[in-house]
């Protein structure tokens, strides 16, 4: 791979920070396709780095990429990542309609940006509903991350449920007969109880620390006017047994973070909750309910659970670009990490 300083000419770009929230939001809203993962507010919830929006403009056309800038310990270098979820670049034109010259200019401007920031690498999980791979394959570092699952809410509810695994559908009908209360959270106490249930769930699953969130995170997520988000809860009598933050943007609804109480795991109320979110999505006029995939792109037990609901899949990609291979290799060697690991960037795997 060639070093980025070999690419010429150096082209101008903009960097928008959290000090200019209106500018950031304006670019996002002008994009042909965007998601809540692209918003400044969502990136400010992630404390691993400083949020920035890289923007390249040519005439009336722009390409923007939300990122988090992170310092690399003990060296005068940085790297970039995106917040948890499906981010990647956005534009006010469909990527496949952009001219080759504009894409080449975007590439060179991004290389200049990386060099100016002494950035070693950049990571972003791409959005499967936006054709971002068309743009990023021209730069390099594109990796397959398995498959991701969605429901088509434009078909009738009967057609949707007909795609369910037969045993799953029977279980959902049984759960509905239990007359659980399904409601939106409307108090801070409910947010607090859900946060506790969620983090206990993560402990039980031995989840990575990046999957743990505090009450302030959920409160901020639910109360920000730039995000369309609510917390749906299931109660068995007075006991909260299951819940999920759901977020919808454009035509897509997602079950963002969910949890089930240990007391009711054997009854799988999350199956009822998933079915209910598809109903909510329809009332909101959404076209797709994105269920996501397995952990790390694997077709694991989580993936298999989601695939019980739908046989509709999209390819999932991640972007793992190394801007300075020499420094990258030095950092990996210093950390003494396993070079065969799939983690990116390798020097942050421990």
């Amino acid at each position: 791979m060639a070093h980025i300083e070999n690419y010429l000419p150096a082209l101008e770009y903009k960097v928008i920070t959290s000090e200019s929230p209106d500018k950031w939001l304006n670019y996002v809203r002008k994009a042909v396709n965007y998601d809540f993962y692209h918003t400044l507010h969502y990136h400010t919830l992630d404390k691993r780095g400083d949020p920035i929006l890289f923007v390249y403009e040519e005439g009336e056309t722009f390409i923007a990429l939300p990122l988090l800038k992170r310092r690399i310990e003990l060296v005068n270098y940085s790297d970039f990542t995106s917040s948890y979820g499906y981010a990647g670049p956005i534009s006010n034109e469909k990527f496949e309609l952009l001219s080759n010259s504009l894409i080449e200019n975007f590439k060179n401007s991004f290389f200049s940006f990386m060099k100016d920031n002494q950035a070693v690498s950049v990571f972003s999980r791409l959005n499967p509903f936006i054709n971002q791979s068309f743009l990023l394959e021209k730069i390099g570092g594109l990796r397959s991350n398995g498959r991701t699952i969605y429901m088509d809410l434009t078909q009738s509810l009967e057609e949707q449920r007909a795609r369910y695994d037969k045993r799953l559908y029977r279980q959902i009908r049984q759960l509905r007969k239990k007359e659980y209360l399904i409601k939106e959270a409307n108090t801070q106490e409910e947010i607090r109880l859900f946060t506790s249930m969620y983090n206990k769930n993560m402990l039980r699953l031995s989840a990575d620390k990046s999957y743990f969130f505090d009450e302030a995170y959920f409160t901020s997520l639910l109360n920000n006017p730039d995000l369309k988000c609510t917390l749906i809860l299931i109660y068995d009598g007075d006991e909260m047994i299951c819940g999920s933050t759901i977020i919808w943007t454009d035509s897509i609804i997602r079950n963002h973070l969910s949890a089930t109480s240990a007391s009711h795991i054997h009854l799988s109320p999350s199956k009822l909750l998933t079915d209910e979110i598809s109903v909510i999505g329809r009332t909101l006029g959404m076209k797709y309910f994105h269920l996501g995939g397995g952990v790390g792109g694997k077709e694991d037990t989580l993936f298999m659970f989601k695939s019980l609901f739908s046989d509709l899949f999209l390819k999932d990609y991640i972007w793992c670009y190394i801007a300075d291979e020499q420094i990258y290799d030095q950092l990996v060697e210093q950390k003494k990490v396993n070079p065969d690991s799939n983690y990116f960037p390798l020097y942050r795997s421990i």
Side-chain angles (χ1 to χ4, degrees):
M1 182 184 299
H3 289 293
I4 59 175
E5 58 266 27
N6 294 336
Y7 287 90
L8 295 172
L11 294 163
E12 292 184 4
Y13 57 83
K14 291 180 183 177
V15 174
I16 297 170
T17 68
S18 56
E19 294 179 359
S20 303
D22 291 341
K23 288 183 180 179
W24 186 312
L25 187 61
N26 187 45
Y27 278 109
V28 171
R29 287 184 171 166
K30 285 197 297 187
V32 174
N33 302 108
Y34 68 90
D35 221 314
F36 71 88
Y37 301 111
H38 296 103
T39 63
L40 168 61
H41 178 69
Y42 185 71
H43 273 71
T44 59
L45 294 175
D46 194 323
K47 306 306 180 185
R48 293 175 299 157
D50 299 319
I52 66 102
L53 183 70
F54 169 87
V55 180
Y56 173 72
E57 287 184 289
E58 195 171 297
E60 297 295 318
T61 304
F62 73 83
I63 300 172
L65 177 63
L67 296 165
L68 295 169
K69 182 177 182 179
R70 305 181 292 186
R71 300 301 305 170
I72 301 174
E73 291 180 5
L74 307 178
V75 293
N76 192 30
Y77 289 92
S78 64
D79 61 16
F80 290 94
T81 190
S82 58
S83 284
Y84 171 77
Y86 303 92
I90 53 176
S91 174
N92 60 336
E93 299 282 354
K94 289 187 178 293
F95 291 122
E96 56 270 29
L97 299 180
L98 297 177
S99 68
N100 290 333
S101 63
L102 190 147
I103 292 174
E104 187 69 15
N105 290 341
F106 161 75
K107 180 171 72 173
N108 288 329
S109 71
F110 187 76
F111 289 161
S112 297
F113 162 75
M114 294 290 283
K115 186 179 179 183
D116 293 345
N117 284 273
Q118 292 187 279
V120 178
S121 66
V122 58
F123 170 86
S124 182
R125 187 171 187 184
L126 304 189
N127 193 305
F129 291 89
I130 307 173
N131 189 15
Q132 298 159 328
S133 58
F134 181 89
L135 175 72
L136 296 178
E137 67 184 2
K138 309 290 195 299
I139 298 177
L142 200 63
R143 296 184 186 177
S144 172
N145 195 49
R147 299 184 295 169
T148 188
I149 304 163
Y150 71 98
M151 290 186 201
D152 181 0
L153 303 184
T154 64
Q155 60 187 353
S156 71
L157 188 58
E158 292 72 24
E159 288 174 315
Q160 172 194 307
R161 286 171 170 165
R163 302 182 91 109
Y164 290 1
D165 173 84
K166 287 183 172 54
R167 182 167 177 267
L168 168 73
Y169 193 26
R170 287 197 301 271
Q171 290 172 325
I172 291 171
R173 290 201 302 269
Q174 289 302 314
L175 286 165
R176 288 202 178 273
K177 289 177 182 177
K178 291 182 180 293
E179 298 184 351
Y180 291 143
L181 173 65
I182 305 175
K183 67 182 291 287
E184 274 189 53
N186 53 24
T187 68
Q188 190 62 37
E189 176 66 6
E190 286 184 308
I191 298 173
R192 186 188 68 78
L193 289 171
F194 173 76
T195 303
S196 175
M197 181 171 68
Y198 172 83
N199 286 316
K200 286 177 182 176
N201 211 155
M202 293 301 102
L203 279 172
R204 194 166 61 246
L205 295 170
S206 301
D208 183 83
K209 62 181 181 181
S210 63
Y211 288 95
F212 287 79
F213 299 94
D214 60 15
E215 183 180 339
Y217 172 88
F218 286 108
T219 302
S220 182
L221 195 68
L222 291 161
N223 292 339
N224 188 272
D226 291 340
L227 299 180
K228 296 174 181 176
C229 178
T230 190
L231 173 58
I232 301 297
L233 301 169
I234 299 181
Y235 283 85
D236 184 359
D238 294 330
E239 182 185 359
M240 182 187 298
I241 63 169
C242 190
S244 175
T245 51
I246 61 170
I247 307 179
W248 60 99
T249 315
D250 198 8
S251 60
I252 302 166
I253 189 168
R254 286 185 174 88
N255 169 352
H256 180 53
L257 295 169
S258 59
T260 300
S261 170
S263 63
H264 284 67
I265 283 178
H266 64 291
L267 294 171
S268 296
S270 60
K271 294 174 180 176
L272 171 60
L273 182 61
T274 302
D275 184 67
E276 186 68 19
I277 294 171
S278 77
V279 176
I280 294 170
R282 289 166 179 280
T283 65
L284 294 170
M286 298 294 104
K287 293 181 180 178
Y288 307 108
F289 176 13
H290 187 206
L291 301 175
V295 177
K298 298 182 178 67
E299 298 201 355
D300 54 10
T301 53
L302 178 60
F303 181 92
M304 297 311 295
F305 170 76
K306 293 174 180 178
S307 65
L308 295 174
F309 288 88
S310 177
D311 57 359
L312 300 174
F313 303 96
L314 291 169
K315 290 182 179 178
D316 195 14
Y317 292 98
I318 53 176
W319 187 37
C320 309
Y321 183 76
I322 300 172
D324 192 322
E325 289 189 343
Q326 183 178 352
I327 299 300
Y328 184 92
D329 291 342
Q330 286 177 13
L331 291 169
V332 171
E333 189 174 343
Q334 287 172 11
K335 293 281 188 177
K336 298 185 176 356
V337 297
N338 177 10
D340 296 325
S341 169
N342 288 325
Y343 194 91
F344 187 87
L346 263 177
Y347 52 81
R348 289 192 183 271
S349 63
I350 55 173

